[in-house]
């Protein structure tokens, strides 16, 4: 059960590993295009159809017709990767249970966007957890965990790819462990991993407004925020070119930490030094490397500066 490319890594490992995948459950095809007239299948569906695996796409997971159809496959075990919350009638169905592959070291980063938030928060280590599903989202008993280092210059794409492959490997190890024990597997309740002095970070779904840069933050926080949203969905800000002009939306994809202080500059102030563009933050300055103006292609900052000879009269806000 899964929808995005991240889930394909595990599905592919199951197929290539010789496991009998009797069916795939994924989201209904998504309308795309200007008028929504084209239906786009999920990445999981594309892979399943290419390998002649039956695909189920329920609108509602409690739909009796879907539940009976799912039951007809008599699956021994269900594997969930980047999918929606399941009702008990679904996750309790297989004799060996249902487990989830989550891209974080639970109980940290429960939620829909654990990879993004781990990078945004400047974590140096994240990982993958497999756990049995329960009534509350991402709270079930932990079966296995594997850590993954986050380099200081890594963006979400790097961590996403790394965790996708690590998650696929951990899923196979988890399946083998469950099969070997015929469902009787030692699993740890998440509250045993919590203590009063540990702050639990959440990983809620990311919306457009979530991605707006606040230049009053310290430079390090803005730096982590940008790489935590790059390349998708992209951190954004607005460029005020003059007092009477409408602000222009600008996405920022890559920055470099700078030793410049820009003393006395208000957050969002732009300073040009040759082909380098610095922006003042609440603490320190940040060098902007790659950006994209609304309606334009992504570009290196030196190309951007060629079109803005008076960039120092502009401000990020």
């Amino acid at each position: 059960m899964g929808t995005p490319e991240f889930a394909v890594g595990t599905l592919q490992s199951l197929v290539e590993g010789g496991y009998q995948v009797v069916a795939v459950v994924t989201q209904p095809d998504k309308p795309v295009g200007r008028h929504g007239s084209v239906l786009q299948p999920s990445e999981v569906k594309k892979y399943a159809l290419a390998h002649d695996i039956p695909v189920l796409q329920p609108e509602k997971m409690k739909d009796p017709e879907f539940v009976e159809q799912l039951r007809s496959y008599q699956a021994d075990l269900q594997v969930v990767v980047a999918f929606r919350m399941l009702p008990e009638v679904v996750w309790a169905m297989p004799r060996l249970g249902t487990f989830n592959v989550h891209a974080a070291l639970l109980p940290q980063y429960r939620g829909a966007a654990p990879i993004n938030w781990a990078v945004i928060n400047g974590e140096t280590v994240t990982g993958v957890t497999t756990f049995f599903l329960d009534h509350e989202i991402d709270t079930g008993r932990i079966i296995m965990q594997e850590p993954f280092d986050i380099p200081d210059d890594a963006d979400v794409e790097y961590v996403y790819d790394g965790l996708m492959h690590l998650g696929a490997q951990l899923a196979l190890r988890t399946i083998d462990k469950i099969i070997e024990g015929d469902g009787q597997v030692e699993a740890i309740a998440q509250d045993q991993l919590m203590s009063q002095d540990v702050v639990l970070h959440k990983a809620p779904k990311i919306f457009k407004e979530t991605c707006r840069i606040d230049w009053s933050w310290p430079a390090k926080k803005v730096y982590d925020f940008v790489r935590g949203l790059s390349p998708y969905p992209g951190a954004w800000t607005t460029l005020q070119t003059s007092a009477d002009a409408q602000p222009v939306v600008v996405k920022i994809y890559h920055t470099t930490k700078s030793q410049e202080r820009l003393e006395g500059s208000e957050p969002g102030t732009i300073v040009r030094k040759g082909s380098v563009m610095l922006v003042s933050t609440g603490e320190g300055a940040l060098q902007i490397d790659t950006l994209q103006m609304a309606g334009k292609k992504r570009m290196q900052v030196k190309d951007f500066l060629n079109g803005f000879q008076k960039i120092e009269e502009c401000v990020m806000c």
Side-chain angles (χ1 to χ4, degrees):
M1 298 184 179
T3 296
E5 180 191 15
F6 190 87
V8 175
T10 298
L11 176 59
Q12 181 177 353
S13 292
L14 289 171
V15 172
E16 294 179 354
Y19 297 87
Q20 185 183 5
V21 181
V22 293
V24 158
V25 182
T26 190
Q27 295 278 39
D29 293 358
K30 183 179 180 181
V32 295
R34 179 169 296 184
H35 304 291
S37 56
V38 179
L39 292 178
Q40 178 73 33
S42 72
E43 293 302 315
V44 164
K45 180 179 179 178
K46 292 177 186 177
Y47 183 90
L49 293 179
H51 293 80
D52 299 319
I53 303 172
V55 177
L56 309 181
Q57 297 177 273
E59 291 282 352
K60 297 181 179 180
M61 299 302 291
K62 290 184 179 180
D63 181 354
E65 185 176 339
F66 160 70
V67 172
E68 286 309 307
Q69 187 178 14
L70 183 64
R71 198 186 307 278
S72 71
Y73 286 100
Q74 299 181 327
D76 295 297
L77 179 67
Q78 289 174 163
V79 183
V80 181
V81 188
F83 198 48
R84 54 179 138 166
M85 191 171 179
L86 303 181
E88 183 174 2
V89 68
V90 172
W91 58 255
M93 188 182 296
R95 70 179 187 87
L96 299 180
T98 300
F99 77 86
N100 187 291
V101 180
H102 187 74
L105 296 176
L106 292 172
Q108 293 289 359
Y109 295 103
R110 293 170 175 166
I115 304 176
N116 296 93
W117 285 109
V119 181
I120 288 171
N121 289 338
E123 302 285 3
T124 57
V125 177
T126 185
V128 178
T129 301
T130 54
F131 67 96
F132 286 116
L133 263 65
D134 208 332
H135 293 96
E136 300 298 325
I137 190 165
D138 297 337
T139 61
R141 294 173 298 125
I142 291 174
I143 309 167
M144 302 182 79
Q145 289 188 317
E146 192 70 41
F148 180 85
D149 291 335
I150 306 177
D152 184 62
D153 60 350
D155 60 15
V156 156
E157 186 172 43
Y158 172 89
V159 183
Y160 183 100
D161 289 345
L163 293 183
M164 179 173 66
H165 292 102
L166 184 62
Q169 296 168 15
L170 194 65
L172 297 192
R173 287 165 51 197
T174 300
I175 291 170
D176 290 343
K177 189 174 184 178
I178 292 173
I179 292 173
E180 183 179 347
D182 197 32
Q184 300 302 310
V185 177
E186 182 180 352
I188 302 172
Q190 291 191 33
D191 58 10
Q192 294 183 26
L193 302 176
M194 301 182 197
S195 60
Q196 292 183 345
D197 59 339
V198 173
V199 177
L200 290 183
H201 298 287
K202 298 181 180 179
K205 187 175 181 180
I206 290 176
F207 299 94
K208 180 181 178 181
E209 199 54 40
T210 313
C211 303
R212 185 167 191 168
I213 298 169
D214 185 340
W215 294 104
S216 70
W217 292 336
K220 175 65 164 64
K221 184 172 181 178
V222 179
Y223 171 79
D224 290 335
F225 188 77
V226 169
R227 65 194 185 97
L229 296 168
S230 180
Y232 182 82
W236 64 276
T237 185
T238 56
L239 181 68
Q240 189 76 48
T241 56
S242 66
D244 56 349
Q246 286 292 322
V248 180
V249 173
V250 178
K251 283 192 173 185
I252 298 179
Y253 294 98
H254 191 274
T255 65
T256 300
K257 286 181 285 187
S258 173
Q259 298 300 316
E260 298 281 354
R261 304 304 299 176
L262 304 185
E263 299 292 349
S265 298
E266 289 293 318
T269 300
I270 298 172
V271 175
R272 178 174 183 171
K273 296 194 173 185
S275 60
V276 173
M277 185 172 87
L278 301 171
V279 179
S280 180
T281 71
E283 184 181 319
L286 201 62
Q287 178 179 316
I288 310 301
D289 300 321
T290 310
L291 47 71
Q292 181 179 19
M293 295 186 67
K296 305 289 185 179
K297 292 182 178 180
R298 191 181 308 187
M299 64 182 75
Q300 297 298 311
V301 78
K302 63 179 182 179
D303 298 320
F304 171 78
L305 291 174
N306 287 336
F308 278 86
Q309 297 302 318
K310 297 183 179 181
I311 189 65
E312 289 176 294
E313 297 178 9
C314 305
V315 63
M316 296 285 193
C317 53

